[in-house]
Amino acid sequence: MPSASRHAAPPYSLSGARGTAPAPDRPRTRTGPRAWAELLRISALFTVPGDALAGAAAAGHRPGRGTVLAVGASLCLYEAGMALNDWADRAEDAVDRPHRPIPSGRITPGAALAAAATLTASGLALAACAGRPALAVATGLAATVWAYDLHLKHTPAGPAAMATARSLDLLLGAAATCGAPGTPPAGRASRPRPARPAGPGGRAPRPGAGHALPTALPAALVLGAHTCAVTHVSRHEAHGGSTTAPTAALATAAALAAAVLRTNRLPSRGRRAPAPGPRGTGRTLALTAFTGAYLRTAARPLLHAALNPSPPLTRRSVGGGIRAMIPLQAALATRAGAPLTGLAVMGLGPLARSLARKVSPT
């Protein structure tokens, strides 16, 4: 969950790799929780659970056991990308960011690589517990993260790869929620289910598992487009100098916000239009509020970076783009008819801002 110089860590994990290795006589300090918190960028973790929750809502299901497994798998794969990112960038960080955990000697390269491998295996194991569709999506997500960190981030395909990772993370929530047993469709939890004909082996087929990914794909594409725009900006955060990237990201954020609000008026296939009356009005107000929060969080720092593309303002715009994922996830869940899920996702925002003051998300 992401620079021609040093990629920060938007959505998944980002970075470039160049420079020289750390000096062999650099003093080493003892590894501690602070070093691992910096390596894994734990303040960005709060942008991850909303992917699975928005995916479940977009698929038309309430969060359940599969959603919890998807959140756990996403967190593991996200942190695997962060650890692998710094391992791959250890030479460049020795030049541009010598204070980072690996070049400063607080964490060894071997420990970071081992953490990335262990977290990847843990994420795949959790996804497997949610069913084969979830495992298939998680495998694609893990492959995308490793391919990005080890090679694609140095190529023009880097932003697209990062966008793919974030989109797959939302689809993982949809596949895991619908593929796990005991997950009721949204709004139908209290209705008795009619008996279903038994499938092969005498087992009843799970409803919705085969349609989860196509149904959630539009929401995944929205989240991926935002991620792609932020990743383009992050390529300039070490040295600044680009007005094009933040301007394009600003335009993308405005277009996505308009699309989320516009498609709210159009019921998706197989769903009812927003109900009239207080309930429908409340959903519309919540969607408007969450979309507005997304624009405020992303647009202000992007505008500052476009007017003055200095490294500090560019880094601030990347951080704003990362945090803006939370209200965007909330808006996507609300648009799908799950305003309470959107409200729960929005509750992660203050936690992310508070922790970002202690550990930078980039």
Side-chain angles (χ1 to χ4, degrees):
M1 247 38 234
S3 9
S5 55
R6 161 77 189 176
H7 299 255
Y12 244 76
S13 65
L14 309 167
S15 199
R18 55 166 199 162
T20 59
D25 58 347
R26 182 182 297 277
R28 292 182 176 272
T29 57
R30 187 175 64 179
T31 300
R34 173 75 186 189
W36 282 104
E38 292 179 15
L39 180 80
L40 300 176
R41 297 177 179 87
I42 60 172
S43 62
L45 274 180
F46 294 103
T47 70
V48 178
D51 288 348
L53 292 170
H61 283 67
R62 292 182 177 179
R65 171 179 175 272
T67 316
V68 174
L69 290 170
V71 169
S74 297
L75 290 171
C76 288
L77 295 175
Y78 186 93
E79 292 292 46
M82 293 298 182
L84 184 64
N85 173 68
D86 273 27
W87 179 84
D89 286 349
R90 60 195 186 279
E92 181 184 348
D93 281 346
V95 176
D96 290 339
R97 293 188 175 184
H99 62 279
R100 292 294 300 165
I102 293 179
S104 66
R106 291 177 290 156
I107 294 178
T108 65
L113 184 59
T118 301
L119 287 165
T120 299
S122 300
L124 293 177
L126 287 170
C129 294
R132 290 182 181 178
L135 177 59
V137 176
T139 301
L141 173 57
T144 303
V145 170
W146 279 72
Y148 176 87
D149 281 332
L150 297 181
H151 176 66
L152 293 179
K153 62 188 169 188
H154 307 297
T155 72
M162 188 58 54
T164 299
R166 203 75 194 205
S167 295
L168 285 172
D169 201 38
L170 187 146
L171 294 177
L172 174 58
T177 302
C178 297
T183 305
R188 300 179 183 177
S190 59
R191 298 181 184 178
R193 295 182 179 178
R196 300 190 303 271
R203 295 183 180 180
R206 292 173 183 172
H211 303 284
L213 300 187
T215 304
L217 184 58
L221 292 176
V222 169
L223 193 61
H226 171 81
T227 301
C228 186
V230 175
T231 305
H232 274 293
V233 178
S234 75
R235 289 176 170 249
H236 305 278
E237 70 164 352
H239 304 290
S242 173
T243 59
T244 302
T247 301
L250 184 61
T252 299
L256 292 177
V260 169
L261 292 174
R262 182 174 63 253
T263 52
N264 180 52
R265 304 191 185 98
L266 302 175
S268 58
R269 185 180 299 177
R271 298 191 184 187
R272 298 177 180 178
R279 189 172 183 178
T281 301
R283 174 175 171 250
T284 300
L285 290 176
L287 178 65
T288 303
F290 297 157
T291 306
Y294 163 66
L295 273 179
R296 287 195 305 273
T297 306
R300 184 179 300 177
L302 284 171
L303 179 60
H304 292 167
L307 296 175
N308 179 12
S310 63
L313 290 180
T314 302
R315 285 193 293 270
R316 189 175 301 174
S317 70
V318 173
I322 297 172
R323 292 190 301 274
M325 289 183 181
I326 294 176
L328 179 58
Q329 294 158 345
L332 290 173
T334 303
R335 183 188 68 166
L340 293 181
T341 298
L343 188 61
V345 172
M346 282 296 293
L348 300 172
L351 298 175
R353 288 193 298 271
S354 176
L355 197 54
R357 300 187 185 100
K358 301 178 180 180
V359 180
S360 173
T362 66

